[in-house]
Amino acid sequence: MQYSIPRRRFLASAAATASLPAIPAIARAATPARRLTAHTRIIEVNGRAATKFQLTDPAGNTGITLAPGERFKVDLINNAGTSTIIHWHGQFPPWVQDGFPWMETPPIKPGATQAYDYAAIPGTFWMHSHQGLQEQNLMTAPLIVHSAADLRADHQEVVMMLHDFSFHSPEALMARLTGQSLPAIHTMTREIENIPTRDIPHTPPAQPQCPECPCTAWI
């Protein structure tokens, strides 16, 4: 027994069938970027308030956690009130997305947004600023990229990120550690931006502890 189908219906069915494999790719392309905002916050330590930087998602969570196979597709919004640039430590994005202030990749201006999109490497990493001494002022956050093995393990996950803290500014701490004046530190932090790393002068701290405060953190 033979069954005939109108030519127009056949062509329509064939076109629909051919388009099926493309649907996942289209869905991936349409996936919205995650939003990460650099801004300031006020924290309280021993009853004293301090203004520090922070990197959070729209829900207020610190940093970014990606699902297995998820691309690092992120829009970084700079609401910090000053220029910044964020390095994705442990990842291997295209160099223009690496987060170092080369001449070709200047810091993100206040109020601006920078888009990132690359294949993420699974593991436990962190993100931090490469602008001046912002990292020492807590411009840091966790960067967690889950793998399929993580989900199979079915472990409870608790992320804890520790960072040095001081009520003194990072510039003041650096001045005390190196024996330089505060204006000299400001000049140095400006000069090391937007130049190749091979040209950055390295001066080790003169001592590991601030003489006027109990801080033992290295800058």
Side-chain angles (χ1 to χ4, degrees):
M1 181 176 68
Q2 294 182 342
Y3 176 76
S4 63
I5 181 173
R7 181 174 179 271
R8 181 174 296 178
R9 183 181 299 177
F10 172 79
L11 292 176
S13 300
T17 302
S19 65
L20 288 178
I23 291 177
I26 294 174
R28 288 194 299 269
T31 301
R34 289 175 175 263
R35 293 174 57 200
L36 183 70
T37 302
H39 57 103
T40 59
R41 55 175 169 160
I42 297 178
I43 62 176
E44 185 176 306
V45 179
N46 295 333
R48 294 177 59 186
T51 300
K52 299 295 179 180
F53 290 116
Q54 191 173 28
L55 291 159
T56 58
D57 66 13
N61 300 313
T62 303
I64 290 177
T65 299
L66 300 181
E70 182 180 356
R71 289 184 64 84
F72 188 95
K73 189 175 182 181
V74 175
D75 287 341
L76 176 59
I77 305 165
N78 182 11
N79 288 340
T82 184
S83 296
T84 191
I85 191 166
I86 304 300
H87 172 65
W88 320 109
H89 201 99
Q91 297 289 300
F92 290 94
W95 72 273
V96 293
Q97 300 184 42
D98 187 53
F100 187 86
W102 304 104
M103 294 295 292
E104 299 86 353
T105 56
I108 307 167
K109 295 181 179 180
T113 299
Q114 181 68 45
Y116 301 85
D117 189 354
Y118 65 87
I121 298 175
T124 301
F125 307 101
W126 66 308
M127 60 186 76
H128 60 86
S129 172
H130 255 306
Q131 175 76 3
L133 298 179
Q134 290 180 355
E135 183 267 318
Q136 289 79 8
N137 225 2
L138 306 191
M139 187 75 91
T140 66
L143 172 54
I144 311 299
V145 183
H146 284 139
S147 65
D150 295 332
L151 299 187
R152 290 194 298 269
D154 194 26
H155 292 158
Q156 181 182 7
E157 183 174 275
V158 177
V159 179
M160 179 180 295
M161 185 169 184
L162 304 180
H163 202 291
D164 298 314
F165 171 83
S166 175
F167 285 105
H168 298 283
S169 71
E171 292 80 7
L173 292 175
M174 179 70 84
R176 292 174 178 178
L177 289 169
T178 62
Q180 300 182 61
S181 67
L182 192 57
I185 296 299
H186 284 295
T187 299
M188 181 186 70
T189 56
R190 286 195 300 268
E191 288 179 346
I192 64 175
E193 300 298 341
N194 299 326
I195 59 175
T197 53
R198 63 176 179 273
D199 295 332
I200 297 178
H202 175 66
T203 303
Q207 52 186 350
Q209 184 171 342
C210 305
E212 290 85 9
C213 71
C215 170
T216 58
W218 291 81
I219 296 298

